[in-house]
Amino acid sequence: MAGRYDPNPFAEEEEVNPFANQAGRGKASGQSNYGGGAFYTTNPTAGLSSLPPERADFNYDRTAPIDIPLDSASDLKKKERELQAKEAELRKREQEIKRREEAAARAGIVIEDKNWPPFFPIIHHDITNEIPIHLQKLQYVAFTTFLGLVLCLFWNIIAVTAAWIKLGDVKIWFLGIIYFVSGVPLAYLLWYRPLYRAFRNESAIRFGGFFLFYLVHIGFCILAAVAPPIVFKGKSLTGILPAIDVISGHVIVGVLYFVGFGLFCLETVLSIWVLQQVYMYFRGSGKAAQMKREAARGRVRNSQKQQHSLCCKIETTATSSLWFFSLLLCPYTSLFHRLEVVLSTLHRGFKHTKLFTHNLS
């Protein structure tokens, strides 16, 4: 037991440097402070295997070569010139577009961007920003009649399809498709867009086309609401007569035809109201008198053009005839005298022709 413990535990311990050489320290001291034992070793890490050293660069190979493409000075200058050329071209296009927009604005031409319907823009439609405030309500109602016509023709296709399935007549279905495909774009081009532009530009001339084709639209709605037995017994349109004829044998088809009849009646009434309101605005705002003045001005302009062309023909004929007679009357005179006579004759002929044209105008 004496070899395992220090005989004097209260004695001052020798200061030991853990980083000093153990062999040198043993030689200097001559012996260890501990007697040793069965489980004591002078080197506690002697039985442990050392771990492999880890790389300090976190698995990044700093010595591996990295290829960085470096352009030469000529390539950089070439790219710079290409970028400058593209920039100049873009600036030139921007100026050209700006110049065209300014020219169009001075000429009163409105650039129409397609913005309706929002999910698939095919037409330009902006009542809030382009139509005057006092006309926006009327324009919205007119737009409602356009959408109502689309609804009527689409419902007509549904009813005619049901009639085709029950009655077995494919001709009425083809006619229903033709009504929808031709009626919707023609309605927009012939009467809705002229009314929109007439309200936007306060143009009296555009009202004439609107009134003409809107009357045709109302006539078609009345014809569709009645649907007389003219074309294929009238079953290609959902009117009152084919509805009464079909409902006795096929109730569902008859109900569809009666719904179409109600839609066409509502469209007719609303269209008549729009026509009345537009006509009242047309007469009350002085557009009718303005349209008459523009038509008279156009006739006067055409007559002036015709008179001008007639005067030009008379002047040309008189000049050529005077030239010919002046040459015939002076065959023996000298060349200088002949030219003098010709010039004086031309001068007098021009004066007489100018006076004659003034009297005509």
Side-chain angles (χ1 to χ4, degrees):
M1 297 299 290
R4 295 181 59 186
Y5 299 100
D6 192 355
N8 187 7
F10 300 100
E12 294 183 359
E13 296 181 357
E14 181 183 1
E15 294 181 359
V16 179
N17 185 5
F19 300 100
N21 190 358
Q22 297 291 336
R25 188 171 64 249
K27 291 179 182 181
S29 58
Q31 60 179 1
S32 175
N33 291 333
Y34 302 95
F39 302 100
Y40 177 78
T41 58
T42 57
N43 187 7
T45 61
L48 299 177
S49 62
S50 61
L51 296 175
E54 294 184 356
R55 303 180 64 89
D57 53 357
F58 301 99
N59 295 329
Y60 290 104
D61 193 0
R62 296 183 179 181
T63 60
I66 300 175
D67 295 333
I68 301 176
L70 298 176
D71 296 332
S72 60
S74 60
D75 295 336
L76 292 175
K77 290 182 179 179
K78 183 179 179 181
K79 289 184 178 181
E80 184 178 359
R81 286 194 299 268
E82 291 178 356
L83 291 176
Q84 289 177 357
K86 290 181 180 180
E87 184 179 359
E89 184 179 358
L90 291 175
R91 191 182 299 110
K92 184 178 179 181
R93 290 182 180 179
E94 183 180 0
Q95 292 176 358
E96 182 68 19
I97 293 174
K98 186 176 180 180
R99 185 184 63 81
R100 290 181 180 180
E101 291 179 353
E102 291 177 354
R106 287 194 300 268
I109 301 174
V110 180
I111 300 175
E112 298 182 347
D113 297 328
K114 297 178 181 180
N115 58 354
W116 195 90
F119 56 88
F120 186 71
I122 56 176
I123 63 174
H124 175 77
H125 194 259
D126 192 3
I127 297 178
T128 305
N129 297 323
E130 294 183 347
I131 305 300
I133 298 177
H134 62 284
L135 297 174
Q136 288 184 3
K137 180 181 178 181
L138 184 56
Q139 185 66 45
Y140 275 118
V141 179
F143 185 60
T144 303
T145 60
F146 173 72
L147 296 180
L149 179 64
V150 176
L151 177 61
C152 290
L153 295 178
F154 183 74
W155 185 264
N156 184 75
I157 292 177
I158 296 175
V160 170
T161 303
W164 168 39
I165 295 173
K166 294 295 183 180
L167 303 177
D169 192 358
V170 69
K171 296 178 181 179
I172 60 176
W173 183 79
F174 278 112
L175 284 175
I177 295 295
I178 292 173
Y179 295 153
F180 182 83
V181 172
S182 61
V184 173
L186 287 178
Y188 174 76
L189 295 174
L190 295 179
W191 59 264
Y192 181 73
R193 190 173 68 175
L195 179 64
Y196 184 89
R197 293 181 176 179
F199 281 163
R200 183 182 62 186
N201 301 329
E202 297 290 335
S203 175
I205 297 297
R206 298 185 184 273
F207 281 99
F210 164 75
F211 286 129
L212 175 62
F213 291 107
Y214 205 64
L215 287 173
V216 175
H217 159 71
I218 294 175
F220 172 77
C221 292
I222 295 174
L223 178 66
V226 178
I230 298 175
V231 182
F232 300 107
K233 297 181 181 181
K235 291 184 176 61
S236 61
L237 291 172
T238 56
I240 183 65
L241 296 181
I244 296 173
D245 187 18
V246 172
I247 197 171
S248 59
H250 304 280
V251 179
I252 298 177
V253 179
V255 171
L256 293 177
Y257 269 72
F258 269 108
V259 172
F261 163 69
L263 291 176
F264 275 113
C265 289
L266 182 62
E267 175 71 15
T268 303
V269 173
L270 196 60
S271 299
I272 292 174
W273 183 84
V274 170
L275 181 65
Q276 180 186 6
Q277 294 299 318
V278 174
Y279 182 73
M280 290 175 60
Y281 169 76
F282 181 73
R283 293 295 301 271
S285 61
K287 298 296 180 183
Q290 181 182 355
M291 186 175 179
K292 291 180 180 179
R293 288 194 300 269
E294 291 180 358
R297 192 179 298 112
R299 288 195 298 268
V300 171
R301 190 180 297 109
N302 292 332
S303 62
Q304 288 179 353
K305 288 182 180 179
Q306 293 176 359
Q307 290 179 1
H308 179 70
S309 61
L310 178 62
C311 292
C312 291
K313 291 179 181 179
I314 293 174
E315 181 179 358
T316 304
T317 305
T319 305
S320 59
S321 60
L322 289 174
W323 176 276
F324 178 72
F325 282 112
S326 63
L327 291 178
L328 289 179
L329 292 175
C330 306
Y332 301 106
T333 57
S334 61
L335 180 62
F336 179 77
H337 182 65
R338 186 178 300 177
L339 290 175
E340 184 180 1
V341 171
V342 169
L343 291 175
S344 62
T345 306
L346 287 175
H347 181 67
R348 288 194 300 270
F350 179 74
K351 288 178 63 176
H352 287 295
T353 306
K354 187 176 181 180
L355 180 61
F356 177 71
T357 55
H358 180 70
N359 292 330
L360 281 179
S361 61

